[in-house]
Amino acid sequence: MTGSAGDIAVLGAGMHPWGKWGRSFVEYGTIAARAALADAGIGWQDVQSVVGADTVRGGYPGYVAGATFAQALGWQGARVTSVYAACASGAQAVSTARAQILAGLADVALVVGADSAPKGFFAPAGGERPDDPDWLRFRLLGATNPAYFALYARRRMALYGDTPEDFAQVKVKNAAAGLLNANARYRKAVTPQDVAASTVVCDPLRLLDICATSDGAAALVLSSMEFARRHGAPDPVRIRAVATNTPVYPKSVLDLPDIATDSGAAVEPSGESFRASIARAAYEEAGIGPDDLSLAEVYDLSTALELQWYEDIGLCGEGEGAKLLREGATALGGRVPVNTSGGLASFGEAVPAQAIAQVCELTWQLRGQAGERQVAGARAGITANQGLFGHGSSVIAVR
């Protein structure tokens, strides 16, 4: 696609395979960073800025992830930034690096996110924190993450007639893509019968409807377009937009971890959900729309939530996500494949890494390097994600 003054180049992408490896997040992130540097053909000494997406699960170093990775790679004087925005941390890291590059503060930036996840679903960190809505959700409501995934699923069933069979088909689709991805944790075909036979976690969602928690890492080497040309990459993948916007009032639809909303009886509901506003902001910045997309990577914490994202990123109208799925439009070979990587269904959550991993997948697809899961002629892709407490996360990349 034609150039934009706000473009930056993706020179390198790298990952550490996801799973439960039982080692330090620093090790995973360092391996991903070296893979991205090698992919870019850039020496570590040439990196002028390191932006780390924080993990809160690695003791003290987890809160200074940028410096943690810079130290692990070998101190060389680069400027350093650490960011935390829960599941949107990776997009915040990309946004920070992009701003530094466009401001002329750095020609080359390394973005890294990595995590070592606990067993089971995520829970808030310890301590009494009554100002933390996530803590309140667990302690006052007893609403764990699977509980709120199930609430979203029930809402779709009530409003749009979605069925557990529709949700299962999302897992079937994503497992088929993950089977083809060497970095995925789960590489096994799944049938609707497999989903139906898995344990009920929180009705209507079963174990195979819900993503796991994982260890893993992802990294990107980003640069100015001028540096990319000097480096011998005249036509790189370009990041054209990064949306990190927050919600607006009124909020009359429950969007956990919030446990209260504006009254839909007293205040006219907003015409746009928070998730939809994230994608809209990215489209407006990039100057493209949903019809221009070749593929999308969305945040499938649960199978039902993926269907919601189809609508939020404009692939179809409200309530039409399951229909789009049934038509095969979002599968590999479909009109606009979604989660060609296999999604969180195949990877699980490694929180600081997942928004970066989404951009890695867009990069490989737009380069034509995605192997058996390649989207033919891919020219533009969007990522969509959402962090706790109103952290938006969407990146648009083009070729």
Side-chain angles (χ1 to χ4, degrees), residues 76-336:
Q76 45 83 309
R79 84 168 52 231
V80 68
T81 314
S82 295
V83 301
Y84 182 71
C87 296
S89 297
Q92 292 275 2
V94 170
S95 181
T96 299
R98 178 176 178 248
Q100 291 176 355
I101 291 167
L102 293 177
L105 299 175
D107 282 329
V108 183
L110 173 68
V111 175
V112 192
D115 209 358
S116 298
K119 185 177 176 61
F121 54 76
F122 292 128
E128 301 291 309
R129 294 195 317 285
D131 292 332
D132 177 349
D134 204 30
W135 183 88
L136 290 171
R137 171 168 63 87
F138 274 75
R139 302 302 163 85
L140 296 187
L141 293 185
T144 62
N145 287 354
Y148 95 78
F149 302 160
L151 287 172
Y152 279 126
R154 278 284 169 205
R155 184 172 188 273
R156 290 197 61 82
M157 292 171 75
L159 289 180
Y160 310 131
D162 289 6
T163 67
E165 291 73 27
D166 291 326
F167 303 151
Q169 200 57 47
V170 175
K171 175 68 174 186
V172 171
K173 173 186 72 71
N174 289 348
L179 180 64
L180 306 175
N181 191 337
N183 288 310
R185 175 178 177 179
Y186 300 105
R187 302 187 63 196
K188 180 182 177 183
V190 172
T191 67
Q193 293 75 25
D194 293 332
V195 181
S198 65
T199 304
V200 173
V201 176
C202 196
D203 189 60
L205 299 180
R206 295 178 176 269
L207 187 65
L208 293 185
D209 284 302
I210 295 170
C211 74
T213 60
S214 291
D215 297 3
L220 296 164
V221 175
L222 307 175
S223 81
S224 65
M225 295 304 297
E226 182 184 352
F227 180 92
R229 283 188 288 270
R230 292 202 309 268
H231 185 62
D235 185 29
V237 171
R238 300 162 169 82
I239 290 178
R240 184 152 290 173
V242 185
T244 59
N245 52 297
T246 53
V248 298
Y249 290 117
K251 286 186 68 183
S252 55
V253 174
L254 188 65
D255 192 10
L256 290 166
D258 295 338
I259 57 175
T261 64
D262 300 313
S263 169
V267 181
E268 194 65 31
S270 169
E272 181 179 60
S273 71
F274 172 44
R275 283 186 296 270
S277 76
I278 302 168
R280 176 181 51 78
Y283 288 135
E284 288 178 354
E285 186 177 306
I288 69 171
D291 291 344
D292 299 306
L293 295 177
S294 306
L295 73 153
E297 285 286 304
V298 305
Y299 185 47
D300 59 317
L301 290 167
S302 76
T303 52
L305 192 59
E306 176 167 325
L307 297 181
Q308 186 69 46
W309 277 114
Y310 295 174
E311 299 158 24
D312 293 334
I313 66 174
L315 300 185
C316 59
E318 186 176 336
E320 296 176 355
K323 178 175 180 287
L324 195 70
L325 175 76
R326 289 187 217 112
E327 292 170 352
T330 60
L332 289 175
R335 176 169 59 82
V336 54

